[in-house]
């Protein structure tokens, strides 16, 4: 048992060491090559495509709530990070955006991340916050399409999906980036998006949500990929170093598993050595 615990601590220390060593090197300009994720590439393209079309991009954190006793909290926070990065790009290109949440707690955070995205490119006075100082001027685009940050429902996933689907059909949405606390209710909003011809990028860590997204969305972020927006959309050195360290640890774990399987096949029992009882 002590050997197994020591091995786990050794792997953790290796990860921390790799993170500490890689971060300053990336900050000094070392080129980093991350494994390609087509969903993030599609998210980049969505903003450019919407800017050309003069229509709206729908950003969604899903119906997940922000509370300590709900399993979707981490996914919703990941969705807020994606929303922030996409809002910054929308602000830089002048692309109309519609950001929605399905939780009263997530709603003010969505407003904050959208505001921060506009502030980072020096266009804070143009942030489309419904209920803000210039609501009348910013609640709709020049083409009459709605934009802004909205809370569609509170703790009602099916109602949120229905409302998000109605927005896709009725508010001139041409692209959607829906990453966060999604489950099986995603199928409902995607049906509406398909009818409206909306190009959708989706992501979730929920197995039921992923099952529907993989079958219906144009591109999907699978599981842990939703937590990598800082590295792929903002190229933050600490986030990129963390991904490299994680991938390195994964390779080491895979090698350990392969070696263990070969030893077991050869009839060498490592269980007593590792303190594991059968």
């Amino acid at each position: 048992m002590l050997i197994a615990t020591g091995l786990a601590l050794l792997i953790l220390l290796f990860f921390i060491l790799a993170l500490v060593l890689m971060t300053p090197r990336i900050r000094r300009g070392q080129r980093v090559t991350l494994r390609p994720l087509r969903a993030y590439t599609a998210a980049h393209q969505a903003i450019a495509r919407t800017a050309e079309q003069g229509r709206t991009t729908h950003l969604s954190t899903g119906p997940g709530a922000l509370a300590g006793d709900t399993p979707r909290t981490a996914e919703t926070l990941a969705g807020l990070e994606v929303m922030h990065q996409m809002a910054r790009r929308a602000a830089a290109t002048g692309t109309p955006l519609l950001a929605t949440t399905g939780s009263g707690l997530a709603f003010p955070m969505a407003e904050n991340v959208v505001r921060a995205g506009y502030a980072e490119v020096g266009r804070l006075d143009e942030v489309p916050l419904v209920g803000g100082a210039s609501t009348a001027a910013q609640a709709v685009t020049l083409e009459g399409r709605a934009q802004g940050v909205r809370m569609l429902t509170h703790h009602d996933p099916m109602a949120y999906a229905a409302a998000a689907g109605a927005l896709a059909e009725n508010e001139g949405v041409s692209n959607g980036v829906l990453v966060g606390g999604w489950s099986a209710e995603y199928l409902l909003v995607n049906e509406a998006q398909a009818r409206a011809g909306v190009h959708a990028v989706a992501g979730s860590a929920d197995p039921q949500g992923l099952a529907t997204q993989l079958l219906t969305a144009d591109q999907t972020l699978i599981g842990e990929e939703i937590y990598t927006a800082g590295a792929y959309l903002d190229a933050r050195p600490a986030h990129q170093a963390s991904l490299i360290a994680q991938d390195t640890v994964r390779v080491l774990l895979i090698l350990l598993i392969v070696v263990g399987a070969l030893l077991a096949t050869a009839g060498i029992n490592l269980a007593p050595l590792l303190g594991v009882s059968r």
Side-chain angles (χ1 to χ4, degrees):
M1 190 65 178
L2 290 176
I3 295 178
T5 303
L7 182 61
L9 289 175
L10 184 63
I11 292 173
L12 177 60
L13 289 174
F14 179 84
F15 170 79
I16 295 173
L17 181 63
L19 180 61
V20 170
L21 292 177
M22 286 296 302
T23 301
R25 294 175 64 181
I26 295 174
R27 285 175 178 163
R28 288 194 297 266
Q30 177 176 322
R31 184 175 180 181
V32 175
T33 302
L34 301 176
R35 52 191 174 91
L37 293 180
R38 289 186 295 176
Y40 281 124
T41 302
H44 277 288
Q45 296 170 347
I47 294 296
R49 188 183 306 112
T50 308
E52 292 176 356
Q53 296 170 340
R55 299 176 68 185
T56 301
T57 295
H58 178 206
L59 307 178
S60 168
T61 62
L66 288 173
D69 59 346
T70 60
R72 299 189 190 179
T73 297
E75 297 170 47
T76 304
L77 290 172
L80 287 168
E81 175 62 22
V82 174
M83 182 179 288
H84 171 223
Q85 299 301 333
M86 297 300 294
R88 180 163 57 87
R89 281 164 172 73
T93 58
T95 302
L97 68 84
L98 177 64
T100 65
T101 72
S103 166
L105 293 176
F107 173 63
M109 296 187 69
E111 286 191 324
N112 285 337
V113 299
V114 170
R115 183 185 289 108
Y118 275 74
E120 288 173 11
V121 297
R123 307 184 77 168
L124 184 59
D125 57 331
E126 300 177 23
V127 59
L129 297 181
V130 176
S134 54
T135 299
Q138 297 178 345
V140 295
T141 68
L142 292 176
E143 292 78 18
R145 305 301 188 182
Q147 60 177 330
V149 184
R150 301 182 184 180
M151 182 184 74
L152 302 183
T153 62
H154 180 62
H155 288 193
D156 192 336
M158 294 302 294
Y160 176 81
L167 287 176
E169 289 192 279
N170 301 321
E171 302 291 356
V173 174
S174 63
N175 292 274
V177 181
L178 301 89
V179 178
W182 288 101
S183 189
E185 68 277 349
Y186 177 81
L187 185 61
L188 184 61
V189 66
N190 191 81
E191 289 181 355
Q193 290 180 145
R195 290 193 295 269
V198 175
H199 185 279
V201 176
S204 174
D206 182 87
Q208 295 185 37
L210 284 173
T212 58
Q213 291 172 352
L214 285 169
L215 292 174
T216 57
D218 295 282
Q219 295 293 339
T220 305
L221 292 169
I222 303 173
E224 63 185 13
E225 293 175 354
I226 69 174
Y227 303 106
T228 61
Y232 281 90
L233 297 179
D234 197 24
R236 297 177 188 170
H239 288 227
Q240 292 182 333
S242 176
L243 284 182
I244 294 172
Q246 290 177 47
D247 286 342
T248 303
V249 170
R250 285 192 189 95
V251 172
L252 290 176
L253 289 175
I254 291 171
L255 290 175
L256 287 174
I257 292 171
V258 171
V259 170
L262 292 175
L263 291 175
T265 303
I268 301 174
N269 184 14
L270 296 179
L273 179 62
L274 297 176
V276 179
S277 59
R278 294 194 174 188

